[in-house]
Amino acid sequence: MPDQKKILVIAESIDVEDSSGSKANVALIMNLKDAGFEVLVYHYTRKEIQLPGMKCVAIKERKFHPLYLLSRVQRRIQNGFKINLAKHLEPIFGFSFTFFNDSVSIAKGIKQGKDFNPDLVLTLSKGASFRPHYALLQVPKLHKKWMAYIHDPYPFHLYPEPYDWSEPGYEKRIKFFEKVSWKCRWAAFPSLLLKEWMAKFYPAFSEKGIVIPHQLRMEQEQVKTPDYFDSTKFNLLHAGNLMKQRPPFGLLVGFRRFLDRNPKAKEQSKLLLLGNTSYHQEGLKHQGYFRDIYISDGYVAYKQVLQMQQEASVNIILESKAEHSPFLPGKFPHCIRAEKPILVLGPEKSEVRRLLGVNYTFWSEIDDEEKISRLIEKLYLQWQENPGNPKLVREDLKVYLSKERLEEQLYKILKD
């Protein structure tokens, strides 16, 4: 075993209940600790959270700073007068005053940590924020040790189709990320396709980029599943927010066709959609009347979702209708750990298919209703033959997502 290395993690949040990004952050941090690294975490969660086996320091927001005052004035005007100032301010500044104040707060917190001399500095963010990355640009002495983790395309303007997102000030955000690509020592991505996609816009990532996938955690606390979940049934489970670009209607129609062809399956089968479905409320409002479909009323507690994924008959990964999808969903390691078949609904070229293999059986485009229904029928017949038997055991992917591989990767780049 090499000499123990020290890693300073600067995370926007380590609260697993606030976003899928934070869940992935915590899994990565815990695997760093379990791989034998000495880990110190600075985080901007705004509340005290301690992760086992390491010190976690909550960075305080700076409240005696002009940026704080400006951020609160902007917020009051927006909330009080219903005026979206971002449309006017962000083309000029690139970001909100809140973003600037948060980044200054994080940078100040980093500079105050003087007793820990890390071998590696890892920035982790969530959503479309990247505040820790902006903050670290203000701490040049750490750049030679900096690994910038990039979980999604940035900014929104650079998302692949069908994501047609844009935002005021995106030109300045591109310049910000160009600086990140120049200043960081390494850039880590959860997927190979995302690394390749981002390198099109920021060429420095071609040389600096490595792939560190979302991490597999084998430990799991057993909890009671909700009353609406009956583990004796043929349960098809989708966990996660259904974004505008990820409509579930091909899945719903395919599921109903499967039931129409297999009337006996109606008493045994259930499709569960867990998470925010607000973008598709109009289309989903009548689906809840069917007893074989369950649609949650918003967010479901993380531990309960993990337990249901373990006990489901089939886990579903639903992506967009597109030419390709460079994303590795945060739930992918959970699905691999569950060892249950995964129904993959997404583009022919995607990171999920790349990992499962292009010949993986249970894949379809999201709108191919007939193929989806036939795949569900095939999964049902396997389950009916032996409810405990249908499994997806992929030891290769367990290794790929493991702390052992993570340790090997990091020691290699630190040595080089």
Side-chain angles (χ1 to χ4, degrees), residues 315-364:
N315 283 302
I316 300 170
I317 291 179
L318 176 65
E319 299 192 275
S320 59
K321 177 73 174 178
E323 286 188 14
H324 82 292
S325 175
F327 310 99
L328 180 65
K331 61 175 167 264
F332 185 76
H334 309 155
C335 295
I336 295 301
R337 180 181 59 189
E339 296 188 341
K340 302 297 175 61
I342 303 172
L343 179 58
V344 180
L345 306 179
E348 184 172 354
K349 183 181 179 182
S350 73
E351 184 71 5
V352 172
R353 281 199 80 210
R354 186 185 78 81
L355 293 176
L356 289 173
V358 293
N359 295 321
Y360 181 71
T361 301
F362 300 108
W363 164 80
S364 170

Short mmCIF file of all heavy atoms in Angstrom, two decimals, residues 315-364:
data_model
loop_
_atom_site.label_atom_id
_atom_site.label_comp_id
_atom_site.label_asym_id
_atom_site.label_seq_id
_atom_site.Cartn_x
_atom_site.Cartn_y
_atom_site.Cartn_z
N ASN A 315 -35.63 -2.30 -12.54
CA ASN A 315 -35.36 -0.87 -12.40
C ASN A 315 -35.30 -0.24 -13.78
O ASN A 315 -34.81 -0.85 -14.74
CB ASN A 315 -34.05 -0.65 -11.64
CG ASN A 315 -34.21 -0.88 -10.16
OD1 ASN A 315 -35.03 -0.23 -9.51
ND2 ASN A 315 -33.44 -1.81 -9.61
N ILE A 316 -35.81 0.99 -13.88
CA ILE A 316 -35.93 1.66 -15.18
C ILE A 316 -34.99 2.87 -15.21
O ILE A 316 -34.95 3.66 -14.26
CB ILE A 316 -37.38 2.12 -15.44
CG1 ILE A 316 -38.32 0.91 -15.46
CG2 ILE A 316 -37.46 2.89 -16.76
CD1 ILE A 316 -39.80 1.30 -15.47
N ILE A 317 -34.25 2.99 -16.30
CA ILE A 317 -33.50 4.22 -16.59
C ILE A 317 -34.12 4.85 -17.81
O ILE A 317 -34.17 4.26 -18.89
CB ILE A 317 -32.00 3.91 -16.82
CG1 ILE A 317 -31.35 3.47 -15.51
CG2 ILE A 317 -31.28 5.13 -17.38
CD1 ILE A 317 -29.88 3.11 -15.62
N LEU A 318 -34.64 6.06 -17.63
CA LEU A 318 -35.37 6.77 -18.68
C LEU A 318 -34.59 8.02 -19.08
O LEU A 318 -34.32 8.88 -18.24
CB LEU A 318 -36.77 7.14 -18.19
CG LEU A 318 -37.66 7.97 -19.11
CD1 LEU A 318 -38.00 7.19 -20.36
CD2 LEU A 318 -38.93 8.40 -18.39
N GLU A 319 -34.20 8.09 -20.34
CA GLU A 319 -33.48 9.26 -20.82
C GLU A 319 -34.29 9.95 -21.92
O GLU A 319 -35.47 9.67 -22.09
CB GLU A 319 -32.09 8.83 -21.30
CG GLU A 319 -31.26 8.21 -20.18
CD GLU A 319 -29.80 8.05 -20.54
OE1 GLU A 319 -29.48 7.01 -21.17
OE2 GLU A 319 -29.02 8.94 -20.21
N SER A 320 -33.65 10.83 -22.66
CA SER A 320 -34.38 11.64 -23.63
C SER A 320 -34.41 10.97 -25.01
O SER A 320 -33.70 10.01 -25.27
CB SER A 320 -33.72 13.02 -23.76
OG SER A 320 -32.37 12.86 -24.17
N LYS A 321 -35.24 11.52 -25.87
CA LYS A 321 -35.25 11.14 -27.29
C LYS A 321 -34.18 11.99 -27.96
O LYS A 321 -34.33 13.21 -28.11
CB LYS A 321 -36.62 11.40 -27.90
CG LYS A 321 -36.71 11.10 -29.39
CD LYS A 321 -36.71 9.61 -29.67
CE LYS A 321 -36.96 9.34 -31.15
NZ LYS A 321 -36.92 7.90 -31.46
N ALA A 322 -33.07 11.37 -28.34
CA ALA A 322 -31.93 12.14 -28.84
C ALA A 322 -31.04 11.26 -29.70
O ALA A 322 -31.22 10.05 -29.77
CB ALA A 322 -31.13 12.69 -27.65
N GLU A 323 -30.07 11.88 -30.35
CA GLU A 323 -29.08 11.12 -31.10
C GLU A 323 -28.13 10.41 -30.15
O GLU A 323 -27.68 9.30 -30.43
CB GLU A 323 -28.29 12.05 -32.03
CG GLU A 323 -29.07 12.50 -33.24
CD GLU A 323 -28.20 13.25 -34.22
OE1 GLU A 323 -26.96 13.19 -34.09
OE2 GLU A 323 -28.76 13.90 -35.13
N HIS A 324 -27.80 11.07 -29.04
CA HIS A 324 -26.93 10.43 -28.05
C HIS A 324 -27.14 11.09 -26.70
O HIS A 324 -27.63 12.22 -26.59
CB HIS A 324 -25.47 10.49 -28.48
CG HIS A 324 -24.78 11.79 -28.18
ND1 HIS A 324 -25.11 12.96 -28.82
CD2 HIS A 324 -23.79 12.08 -27.31
CE1 HIS A 324 -24.34 13.93 -28.37
NE2 HIS A 324 -23.54 13.43 -27.45
N SER A 325 -26.78 10.38 -25.66
CA SER A 325 -26.90 10.87 -24.29
C SER A 325 -25.58 10.65 -23.58
O SER A 325 -25.20 9.51 -23.32
CB SER A 325 -28.03 10.14 -23.54
OG SER A 325 -28.05 10.55 -22.19
N PRO A 326 -24.85 11.74 -23.24
CA PRO A 326 -23.54 11.58 -22.60
C PRO A 326 -23.61 11.41 -21.09
O PRO A 326 -22.57 11.33 -20.44
CB PRO A 326 -22.84 12.89 -22.96
CG PRO A 326 -23.94 13.89 -23.01
CD PRO A 326 -25.14 13.14 -23.56
N PHE A 327 -24.81 11.35 -20.54
CA PHE A 327 -24.97 11.36 -19.08
C PHE A 327 -24.86 9.96 -18.48
O PHE A 327 -25.36 9.00 -19.07
CB PHE A 327 -26.33 11.95 -18.70
CG PHE A 327 -26.63 13.27 -19.36
CD1 PHE A 327 -27.42 13.32 -20.49
CD2 PHE A 327 -26.09 14.44 -18.87
CE1 PHE A 327 -27.69 14.53 -21.12
CE2 PHE A 327 -26.36 15.65 -19.48
CZ PHE A 327 -27.15 15.71 -20.61
N LEU A 328 -24.25 9.88 -17.32
CA LEU A 328 -24.36 8.67 -16.50
C LEU A 328 -25.30 9.00 -15.35
O LEU A 328 -24.94 9.78 -14.46
CB LEU A 328 -23.01 8.23 -15.96
CG LEU A 328 -23.06 6.95 -15.10
CD1 LEU A 328 -23.47 5.76 -15.95
CD2 LEU A 328 -21.73 6.68 -14.41
N PRO A 329 -26.52 8.45 -15.33
CA PRO A 329 -27.45 8.78 -14.26
C PRO A 329 -26.89 8.41 -12.89
O PRO A 329 -26.21 7.38 -12.74
CB PRO A 329 -28.69 7.93 -14.60
CG PRO A 329 -28.56 7.64 -16.06
CD PRO A 329 -27.09 7.54 -16.33
N GLY A 330 -27.19 9.25 -11.91
CA GLY A 330 -26.71 8.99 -10.55
C GLY A 330 -27.22 7.68 -9.99
O GLY A 330 -26.59 7.08 -9.11
N LYS A 331 -28.38 7.22 -10.49
CA LYS A 331 -28.94 5.97 -9.97
C LYS A 331 -28.33 4.72 -10.61
O LYS A 331 -28.65 3.61 -10.19
CB LYS A 331 -30.45 5.94 -10.16
CG LYS A 331 -30.90 6.02 -11.60
CD LYS A 331 -32.41 5.85 -11.70
CE LYS A 331 -32.91 6.23 -13.09
NZ LYS A 331 -33.41 7.61 -13.16
N PHE A 332 -27.46 4.90 -11.60
CA PHE A 332 -26.89 3.74 -12.27
C PHE A 332 -26.18 2.79 -11.30
O PHE A 332 -26.42 1.57 -11.34
CB PHE A 332 -25.94 4.19 -13.38
CG PHE A 332 -25.39 3.06 -14.21
CD1 PHE A 332 -26.16 2.42 -15.16
CD2 PHE A 332 -24.09 2.61 -14.01
CE1 PHE A 332 -25.66 1.37 -15.92
CE2 PHE A 332 -23.57 1.56 -14.76
CZ PHE A 332 -24.36 0.94 -15.71
N PRO A 333 -25.33 3.28 -10.39
CA PRO A 333 -24.70 2.35 -9.43
C PRO A 333 -25.73 1.64 -8.54
O PRO A 333 -25.54 0.47 -8.19
CB PRO A 333 -23.80 3.26 -8.58
CG PRO A 333 -23.54 4.44 -9.44
CD PRO A 333 -24.80 4.64 -10.22
N HIS A 334 -26.82 2.33 -8.18
CA HIS A 334 -27.85 1.69 -7.35
C HIS A 334 -28.49 0.53 -8.11
O HIS A 334 -28.78 -0.53 -7.53
CB HIS A 334 -28.95 2.70 -6.96
CG HIS A 334 -28.43 3.97 -6.37
ND1 HIS A 334 -29.13 5.15 -6.43
CD2 HIS A 334 -27.28 4.24 -5.72
CE1 HIS A 334 -28.43 6.10 -5.83
NE2 HIS A 334 -27.30 5.57 -5.40
N CYS A 335 -28.71 0.74 -9.42
CA CYS A 335 -29.32 -0.32 -10.23
C CYS A 335 -28.37 -1.51 -10.37
O CYS A 335 -28.82 -2.67 -10.36
CB CYS A 335 -29.69 0.23 -11.61
SG CYS A 335 -30.97 1.51 -11.58
N ILE A 336 -27.08 -1.25 -10.51
CA ILE A 336 -26.12 -2.34 -10.61
C ILE A 336 -26.04 -3.11 -9.30
O ILE A 336 -25.99 -4.34 -9.28
CB ILE A 336 -24.73 -1.80 -11.01
CG1 ILE A 336 -24.78 -1.20 -12.43
CG2 ILE A 336 -23.66 -2.89 -10.92
CD1 ILE A 336 -25.19 -2.17 -13.50
N ARG A 337 -26.07 -2.40 -8.20
CA ARG A 337 -26.02 -3.05 -6.89
C ARG A 337 -27.26 -3.93 -6.67
O ARG A 337 -27.17 -5.01 -6.08
CB ARG A 337 -25.92 -2.02 -5.77
CG ARG A 337 -25.86 -2.65 -4.37
CD ARG A 337 -25.79 -1.60 -3.29
NE ARG A 337 -26.93 -0.70 -3.33
CZ ARG A 337 -27.02 0.41 -2.60
NH1 ARG A 337 -26.01 0.77 -1.83
NH2 ARG A 337 -28.08 1.17 -2.68
N ALA A 338 -28.42 -3.49 -7.15
CA ALA A 338 -29.66 -4.24 -6.93
C ALA A 338 -29.66 -5.59 -7.63
O ALA A 338 -30.41 -6.48 -7.25
CB ALA A 338 -30.85 -3.41 -7.39
N GLU A 339 -28.85 -5.73 -8.67
CA GLU A 339 -28.75 -6.98 -9.44
C GLU A 339 -30.09 -7.41 -10.02
O GLU A 339 -30.39 -8.60 -10.13
CB GLU A 339 -28.14 -8.10 -8.59
CG GLU A 339 -26.70 -7.83 -8.18
CD GLU A 339 -26.04 -9.01 -7.50
OE1 GLU A 339 -26.78 -9.91 -7.03
OE2 GLU A 339 -24.80 -9.06 -7.46
N LYS A 340 -30.91 -6.43 -10.38
CA LYS A 340 -32.18 -6.71 -11.05
C LYS A 340 -32.09 -6.21 -12.49
O LYS A 340 -31.32 -5.29 -12.79
CB LYS A 340 -33.33 -5.98 -10.33
CG LYS A 340 -33.47 -6.36 -8.86
CD LYS A 340 -33.82 -7.83 -8.69
CE LYS A 340 -33.86 -8.25 -7.23
NZ LYS A 340 -34.87 -7.54 -6.44
N PRO A 341 -32.84 -6.82 -13.41
CA PRO A 341 -32.80 -6.34 -14.79
C PRO A 341 -33.09 -4.83 -14.86
O PRO A 341 -33.90 -4.30 -14.09
CB PRO A 341 -33.91 -7.14 -15.47
CG PRO A 341 -34.06 -8.38 -14.64
CD PRO A 341 -33.78 -7.95 -13.23
N ILE A 342 -32.41 -4.17 -15.77
CA ILE A 342 -32.61 -2.74 -15.98
C ILE A 342 -33.28 -2.54 -17.34
O ILE A 342 -32.78 -3.02 -18.36
CB ILE A 342 -31.27 -1.97 -15.96
CG1 ILE A 342 -30.53 -2.21 -14.64
CG2 ILE A 342 -31.50 -0.48 -16.16
CD1 ILE A 342 -29.12 -1.65 -14.63
N LEU A 343 -34.43 -1.88 -17.35
CA LEU A 343 -35.09 -1.51 -18.59
C LEU A 343 -34.55 -0.14 -18.99
O LEU A 343 -34.84 0.86 -18.32
CB LEU A 343 -36.61 -1.47 -18.40
CG LEU A 343 -37.44 -1.06 -19.62
CD1 LEU A 343 -37.20 -2.00 -20.80
CD2 LEU A 343 -38.93 -1.01 -19.26
N VAL A 344 -33.76 -0.09 -20.03
CA VAL A 344 -33.09 1.14 -20.47
C VAL A 344 -33.89 1.75 -21.61
O VAL A 344 -34.03 1.14 -22.68
CB VAL A 344 -31.64 0.85 -20.92
CG1 VAL A 344 -30.96 2.14 -21.38
CG2 VAL A 344 -30.85 0.19 -19.80
N LEU A 345 -34.40 2.95 -21.40
CA LEU A 345 -35.16 3.66 -22.42
C LEU A 345 -34.42 4.95 -22.75
O LEU A 345 -34.37 5.88 -21.94
CB LEU A 345 -36.58 3.97 -21.90
CG LEU A 345 -37.37 2.77 -21.37
CD1 LEU A 345 -38.75 3.21 -20.88
CD2 LEU A 345 -37.51 1.70 -22.45
N GLY A 346 -33.80 4.98 -23.93
CA GLY A 346 -32.99 6.13 -24.28
C GLY A 346 -32.38 5.97 -25.65
O GLY A 346 -32.71 5.05 -26.41
N PRO A 347 -31.44 6.86 -25.99
CA PRO A 347 -30.83 6.83 -27.33
C PRO A 347 -30.00 5.57 -27.56
O PRO A 347 -29.52 4.94 -26.61
CB PRO A 347 -29.93 8.07 -27.33
CG PRO A 347 -30.41 8.91 -26.22
CD PRO A 347 -30.97 8.00 -25.19
N GLU A 348 -29.81 5.27 -28.82
CA GLU A 348 -28.98 4.12 -29.17
C GLU A 348 -27.54 4.34 -28.71
O GLU A 348 -26.87 3.41 -28.24
CB GLU A 348 -29.01 3.89 -30.69
CG GLU A 348 -28.26 2.66 -31.14
CD GLU A 348 -28.48 2.36 -32.61
OE1 GLU A 348 -29.30 3.05 -33.24
OE2 GLU A 348 -27.84 1.42 -33.11
N LYS A 349 -27.06 5.59 -28.83
CA LYS A 349 -25.73 5.92 -28.34
C LYS A 349 -25.85 6.64 -27.01
O LYS A 349 -26.31 7.79 -26.94
CB LYS A 349 -24.98 6.82 -29.34
CG LYS A 349 -23.56 7.13 -28.90
CD LYS A 349 -22.84 8.04 -29.89
CE LYS A 349 -21.42 8.34 -29.40
NZ LYS A 349 -20.71 9.27 -30.32
N SER A 350 -25.48 5.97 -25.95
CA SER A 350 -25.55 6.57 -24.62
C SER A 350 -24.50 5.94 -23.73
O SER A 350 -24.00 4.84 -24.02
CB SER A 350 -26.94 6.38 -24.01
OG SER A 350 -27.14 5.03 -23.61
N GLU A 351 -24.18 6.61 -22.64
CA GLU A 351 -23.20 6.07 -21.70
C GLU A 351 -23.73 4.81 -21.03
O GLU A 351 -22.99 3.86 -20.79
CB GLU A 351 -22.84 7.12 -20.63
CG GLU A 351 -21.76 6.69 -19.66
CD GLU A 351 -20.37 6.62 -20.26
OE1 GLU A 351 -20.18 6.99 -21.44
OE2 GLU A 351 -19.44 6.18 -19.54
N VAL A 352 -25.02 4.78 -20.76
CA VAL A 352 -25.61 3.59 -20.11
C VAL A 352 -25.47 2.38 -21.02
O VAL A 352 -25.05 1.30 -20.57
CB VAL A 352 -27.09 3.85 -19.76
CG1 VAL A 352 -27.76 2.56 -19.28
CG2 VAL A 352 -27.21 4.92 -18.68
N ARG A 353 -25.79 2.52 -22.30
CA ARG A 353 -25.65 1.39 -23.24
C ARG A 353 -24.18 1.03 -23.44
O ARG A 353 -23.83 -0.13 -23.63
CB ARG A 353 -26.27 1.73 -24.59
CG ARG A 353 -27.79 1.60 -24.60
CD ARG A 353 -28.29 1.50 -26.02
NE ARG A 353 -28.15 0.15 -26.56
CZ ARG A 353 -27.95 -0.15 -27.83
NH1 ARG A 353 -27.81 0.82 -28.73
NH2 ARG A 353 -27.84 -1.39 -28.24
N ARG A 354 -23.31 2.04 -23.45
CA ARG A 354 -21.88 1.76 -23.60
C ARG A 354 -21.40 0.84 -22.48
O ARG A 354 -20.63 -0.10 -22.70
CB ARG A 354 -21.08 3.06 -23.58
CG ARG A 354 -19.59 2.88 -23.87
CD ARG A 354 -18.84 4.18 -23.73
NE ARG A 354 -18.59 4.51 -22.33
CZ ARG A 354 -17.60 4.00 -21.60
NH1 ARG A 354 -16.78 3.12 -22.13
NH2 ARG A 354 -17.45 4.37 -20.34
N LEU A 355 -21.88 1.10 -21.26
CA LEU A 355 -21.44 0.30 -20.11
C LEU A 355 -22.12 -1.07 -20.08
O LEU A 355 -21.47 -2.07 -19.79
CB LEU A 355 -21.71 1.07 -18.81
CG LEU A 355 -20.87 2.35 -18.62
CD1 LEU A 355 -21.28 3.06 -17.35
CD2 LEU A 355 -19.38 2.04 -18.60
N LEU A 356 -23.42 -1.11 -20.36
CA LEU A 356 -24.13 -2.39 -20.33
C LEU A 356 -23.78 -3.26 -21.54
O LEU A 356 -23.87 -4.48 -21.47
CB LEU A 356 -25.63 -2.16 -20.27
CG LEU A 356 -26.18 -1.60 -18.95
CD1 LEU A 356 -27.66 -1.25 -19.10
CD2 LEU A 356 -25.99 -2.60 -17.81
N GLY A 357 -23.37 -2.59 -22.63
CA GLY A 357 -23.04 -3.33 -23.85
C GLY A 357 -24.09 -3.07 -24.93
O GLY A 357 -25.29 -3.05 -24.63
N VAL A 358 -23.65 -2.89 -26.15
CA VAL A 358 -24.58 -2.55 -27.23
C VAL A 358 -25.54 -3.70 -27.53
O VAL A 358 -26.58 -3.49 -28.15
CB VAL A 358 -23.82 -2.15 -28.52
CG1 VAL A 358 -23.06 -0.86 -28.32
CG2 VAL A 358 -22.88 -3.26 -28.97
N ASN A 359 -25.22 -4.90 -27.10
CA ASN A 359 -26.12 -6.04 -27.32
C ASN A 359 -27.02 -6.30 -26.12
O ASN A 359 -27.68 -7.34 -26.07
CB ASN A 359 -25.29 -7.29 -27.64
CG ASN A 359 -24.55 -7.17 -28.95
OD1 ASN A 359 -25.07 -6.63 -29.92
ND2 ASN A 359 -23.31 -7.65 -28.98
N TYR A 360 -27.04 -5.37 -25.17
CA TYR A 360 -27.92 -5.55 -24.00
C TYR A 360 -29.37 -5.67 -24.45
O TYR A 360 -29.86 -4.86 -25.25
CB TYR A 360 -27.74 -4.37 -23.04
CG TYR A 360 -28.57 -4.48 -21.79
CD1 TYR A 360 -28.27 -5.43 -20.82
CD2 TYR A 360 -29.68 -3.66 -21.60
CE1 TYR A 360 -29.05 -5.55 -19.67
CE2 TYR A 360 -30.46 -3.76 -20.45
CZ TYR A 360 -30.14 -4.72 -19.50
OH TYR A 360 -30.91 -4.84 -18.37
N THR A 361 -30.06 -6.66 -23.94
CA THR A 361 -31.39 -7.03 -24.47
C THR A 361 -32.45 -5.98 -24.18
O THR A 361 -33.24 -5.61 -25.06
CB THR A 361 -31.83 -8.38 -23.87
OG1 THR A 361 -30.86 -9.37 -24.21
CG2 THR A 361 -33.19 -8.77 -24.42
N PHE A 362 -32.50 -5.49 -22.94
CA PHE A 362 -33.67 -4.72 -22.50
C PHE A 362 -33.44 -3.22 -22.71
O PHE A 362 -33.38 -2.43 -21.78
CB PHE A 362 -34.00 -5.06 -21.05
CG PHE A 362 -34.31 -6.51 -20.85
CD1 PHE A 362 -33.42 -7.35 -20.20
CD2 PHE A 362 -35.48 -7.06 -21.35
CE1 PHE A 362 -33.71 -8.69 -20.03
CE2 PHE A 362 -35.77 -8.40 -21.20
CZ PHE A 362 -34.88 -9.23 -20.54
N TRP A 363 -33.37 -2.86 -24.00
CA TRP A 363 -33.18 -1.46 -24.39
C TRP A 363 -34.18 -1.09 -25.47
O TRP A 363 -34.49 -1.89 -26.35
CB TRP A 363 -31.77 -1.22 -24.91
CG TRP A 363 -31.68 0.08 -25.66
CD1 TRP A 363 -31.56 1.32 -25.11
CD2 TRP A 363 -31.79 0.28 -27.07
NE1 TRP A 363 -31.58 2.29 -26.10
CE2 TRP A 363 -31.70 1.67 -27.31
CE3 TRP A 363 -31.93 -0.59 -28.17
CZ2 TRP A 363 -31.78 2.20 -28.59
CZ3 TRP A 363 -32.01 -0.05 -29.44
CH2 TRP A 363 -31.93 1.33 -29.65
N SER A 364 -34.65 0.16 -25.40
CA SER A 364 -35.53 0.68 -26.43
C SER A 364 -35.43 2.20 -26.44
O SER A 364 -35.08 2.83 -25.44
CB SER A 364 -36.98 0.28 -26.15
OG SER A 364 -37.88 0.97 -27.01
#
